[in-house]
Amino acid sequence: MKLNKLSPKSREELETHLKSKTPSFYHSSKTSTVIPYDHIESYLEDLGVLEFTMVNLTELPTHMELDGEGNLTIEGPVTWQEAKAYCHSKGRDIMTSPTEELACILAGFATSATGERCFGFGTLRDQVISLEYLNSKAEVHTLSSKNKLPINKELEEYQRSYNSFKDFKNAPFPRMEVETDLLTGTEGQLGVITKAILKTTVLEDRTFIFIKLPKWEENFSKHLEIFSKVQSFRDRIFSCELLDSNSMAVLPEEERIIESGDLIFLEVRSSAFESVYEDLISKFELITDEDMFEVPAAKSHRLRMNVPRFTFERNSRMGVVKKGTDVQVSPEKFPELLEIYKELSTLGIDYNLFGHFGDAHLHFNFLPDQTKVETCQEKLEELYRKVKSIGGSPFAEHGIGLIKQKFIADFLDPLHYVVFDQIKNEHDPENILFPMGFLNLNRSIG
Ligand SMILES: Cc1cc2nc3c(=O)[nH]c(=O)nc-3n(C[C@H](O)[C@H](O)[C@H](O)COP(=O)(O)OP(=O)(O)OC[C@H]3O[C@@H](n4cnc5c(N)ncnc54)[C@H](O)[C@@H]3O)c2cc1C
């Protein structure tokens, strides 16, 4: 297996490579948890790939600009962290972003990234105005979120099947309604995104309220009280996140903010804090004021970011590929999801649970040693069968990449493969853009 690496430093170099028709994977910050970057060579070798090229987009030039209406133009490998700092300096804020802020914004469209603030602001699909990309022939195209995709019989059926997931952050297959959907969540298989224009919001002061709770495995009634009551506060609460006791335990001691039990935190618009206190917090029946405390924004943010980072680090230290979930279910099915996770917590394998609690979207991560990896794999397969039976979405934000492909088949019908084939044939007929991606699953599984 021969793995070539390339880092174009200009748009021209990128175009020249595209025109060479070399099958390639175009990456940005490499924070995706569904691409095994650490051992990509052996992974591809196992797939029977003889030669492949990894194209690093992070050395291309960047540009950021805010217009008078608060629309942000991003060109090149700008990270969420850089864009946030830029927007803040101009009194604006990014509405939603992945917890890992060193990821790139244009890659965020490719993975249909979501994050904490989806609770208050919805998804990137709601915020994008236009996307510019280079297609497989290195031609520049611009897609608008205002224009519908041309419809045919198969796409109509596909869109109907998407309807049952329309309230989820991401369905098991990308939405295909408007032009920008083509490059959103298709993981770089249809083109290289070079520019995006997205809406921003006014920068507002926020208050982070942390709520101490018992361990969810022992009793999650307090957790569920918060879940059901926060739902009607999405206009004043930007995020509602869970960090369970085991998430705290993966952190270095000096980073932990409580010694035992779980935490849920609410990111509240400070100007609306009084009304949130009066209408929500003071009305909790199972939770008292003594269970709550305020944490400065920067500290909350660091804590939230550190949990997945240290979880990831622990798995790397143990030499295992992430064995975690990215499942979102409907609010009615959330207690069932917690019961499913409760079963996984009794296997004698270390784990943690954290994530976007208010959106019924949690990451359960096994933290196994090498001897338990196979059991985890079997248990995850069982879990996905249950998720399917309760109508959940299996990969609500991290995407499918290479690692999750083995779990996707149950969630797709022949009609999805037909549309995947149609769009791949139309946009990348020579199959040079991430050819082993999920749009080609039909071909690879025969
Ligand atoms: C600690 C941690 C926390 C995370 N939290 C979240 C979270 O809250 N929400 C979330 O959604 N994700 C999260 N992720 C996953 C990851 O950060 C996102 O998937 C992110 O969008 C990947 O960005 P990247 O720049 O690292 O992309 P890469 O890993 O470099 O690439 C990811 C995919 O995008 C494609 N791609 C990259 N750039 C382009 C481009 N310019 N044009 C076309 N395709 C491109 C690649 O081909 C690949 O398929 C987390 C990851 C970690 C490690």
Side-chain angles (χ1 to χ4, degrees):
M1 156 73 201
K2 185 164 175 240
L3 190 68
N4 309 307
K5 292 184 182 168
L6 192 83
S7 295
K9 298 197 173 36
S10 66
R11 174 85 163 237
E12 293 69 37
E13 279 182 45
L14 174 61
E15 288 176 9
T16 304
H17 179 70
L18 276 163
K19 284 179 188 157
S20 74
K21 306 274 174 216
T22 313
S24 304
F25 180 86
Y26 294 81
H27 67 80
S28 295
S29 298
K30 299 215 280 188
T31 68
S32 168
T33 57
V34 290
I35 302 290
Y37 288 115
D38 287 349
H39 50 279
I40 190 76
E41 214 164 327
S42 57
Y43 204 97
L44 293 176
E45 194 161 351
D46 289 348
L47 293 179
V49 179
L50 299 177
E51 182 167 356
F52 197 61
T53 301
M54 300 290 282
V55 182
N56 172 15
L57 302 171
T58 64
E59 293 187 18
L60 289 166
T62 60
H63 178 69
M64 273 186 276
E65 203 174 303
L66 261 171
D67 70 15
E69 288 169 15
N71 298 326
L72 175 67
T73 299
I74 295 288
E75 284 180 72
V78 174
T79 66
W80 294 98
Q81 193 175 57
E82 290 161 345
K84 266 185 197 170
Y86 174 76
C87 286
H88 288 185
S89 74
K90 304 208 175 291
R92 303 291 302 179
D93 206 358
I94 300 276
M95 288 193 254
T96 189
S97 61
T99 310
E100 178 52 76
E101 296 199 321
L102 300 178
C104 285
I105 296 196
L106 300 184
F109 285 100
T111 64
S112 191
T114 72
E116 289 94 277
R117 300 178 108 210
C118 263
F119 184 78
F121 292 109
T123 66
L124 273 182
R125 279 191 302 271
D126 306 326
Q127 292 146 27
V128 65
I129 294 171
S130 67
L131 292 176
E132 178 197 274
Y133 72 104
L134 291 170
N135 71 6
S136 60
K137 296 185 193 126
E139 296 161 340
V140 185
H141 287 269
T142 302
L143 304 169
S144 163
S145 60
K146 287 207 182 106
N147 297 341
K148 296 260 182 217
L149 282 172
I151 195 94
N152 63 23
K153 193 163 71 56
E154 291 81 17
L155 188 59
E156 204 176 328
E157 216 183 311
Y158 179 104
Q159 289 179 352
R160 252 200 309 276
S161 78
Y162 183 88
N163 272 343
S164 51
F165 291 99
K166 71 177 184 341
D167 296 327
F168 287 73
K169 295 166 164 186
N170 284 301
F173 44 91
R175 187 180 79 172
M176 285 291 157
E177 275 173 30
V178 295
E179 281 179 3
T180 41
D181 290 344
L182 271 174
L183 270 283
T184 307
T186 45
E187 303 185 352
Q189 299 170 81
L190 301 179
V192 179
I193 307 171
T194 46
K195 179 169 156 183
I197 304 181
L198 70 157
K199 297 174 199 160
T200 63
T201 187
V202 174
L203 177 64
E204 287 186 87
D205 196 36
R206 294 143 306 137
T207 303
F208 288 78
I209 300 299
F210 279 64
I211 307 171
K212 285 190 272 182
L213 298 157
K215 291 181 175 193
W216 63 275
E217 308 88 317
E218 289 165 8
N219 184 349
F220 53 72
S221 47
K222 288 188 180 183
H223 301 66
L224 285 184
E225 180 184 24
I226 299 173
F227 178 76
S228 62
K229 292 191 173 156
V230 290
Q231 296 306 323
S232 51
F233 286 82
R234 288 177 189 255
D235 57 335
R236 284 164 275 175
I237 295 181
F238 299 147
S239 53
C240 171
E241 297 283 304
L242 168 77
L243 303 171
D244 82 341
S245 62
N246 296 321
S247 301
M248 215 56 67
V250 296
L251 299 176
E253 238 163 82
E254 64 279 10
E255 296 287 341
R256 299 177 195 164
I257 62 169
I258 51 167
E259 283 313 313
S260 61
D262 296 350
L263 281 174
I264 285 181
F265 72 81
L266 307 176
E267 179 187 1
V268 181
R269 172 183 285 154
S270 297
S271 60
F273 183 75
E274 263 177 45
S275 75
V276 170
Y277 185 83
E278 237 162 70
D279 302 338
L280 174 74
I281 296 178
S282 70
K283 298 223 162 74
F284 283 139
E285 284 159 24
L286 304 176
I287 296 154
T288 64
D289 277 2
E290 286 74 56
D291 297 323
M292 291 180 233
F293 58 102
E294 191 183 334
V295 174
K299 193 170 175 188
S300 311
H301 197 60
R302 198 175 67 236
L303 177 72
R304 179 63 187 86
M305 201 139 58
N306 274 340
V307 168
R309 275 190 186 165
F310 280 94
T311 301
F312 199 66
E313 197 173 277
R314 157 142 180 186
N315 280 332
S316 302
R317 220 174 36 241
M318 302 302 276
V320 298
V321 173
K322 180 178 148 83
K323 293 273 173 245
T325 73
D326 182 19
V327 172
Q328 185 183 17
V329 294
S330 64
E332 307 77 59
K333 298 289 181 188
F334 194 38
E336 272 180 69
L337 181 66
L338 290 173
E339 287 296 347
I340 294 172
Y341 285 150
K342 212 163 144 181
E343 277 171 41
L344 296 185
S345 75
T346 61
L347 299 172
I349 302 173
D350 288 351
Y351 63 89
N352 65 6
L353 182 73
F354 61 87
H356 316 304
F357 186 81
D359 282 324
H361 175 202
L362 293 175
H363 304 297
F364 181 96
N365 283 283
F366 282 119
L367 302 167
D369 59 33
Q370 303 249 11
T371 63
K372 303 270 174 50
V373 167
E374 219 165 286
T375 315
C376 296
Q377 188 68 16
E378 283 161 19
K379 291 293 166 188
L380 285 179
E381 278 164 30
E382 242 172 65
L383 167 114
Y384 285 118
R385 280 194 289 276
K386 290 180 186 163
V387 170
K388 161 117 176 134
S389 75
I390 59 173
S393 181
F395 321 114
E397 70 180 4
H398 286 224
I400 298 163
L402 290 167
I403 293 174
K404 295 276 171 83
Q405 284 184 12
K406 48 185 162 296
F407 301 122
I408 188 80
D410 272 356
F411 291 86
L412 299 176
D413 293 326
L415 87 101
H416 299 115
Y417 294 119
V418 169
V419 172
F420 289 175
D421 275 355
Q422 284 180 358
I423 55 177
K424 188 72 177 166
N425 285 334
E426 186 183 340
H427 297 273
D428 181 23
E430 281 147 311
N431 203 19
I432 57 165
L433 302 166
F434 188 12
M436 56 293 286
F438 72 86
L439 290 178
N440 276 334
L441 265 178
N442 199 25
R443 304 173 201 197
S444 51
I445 63 173

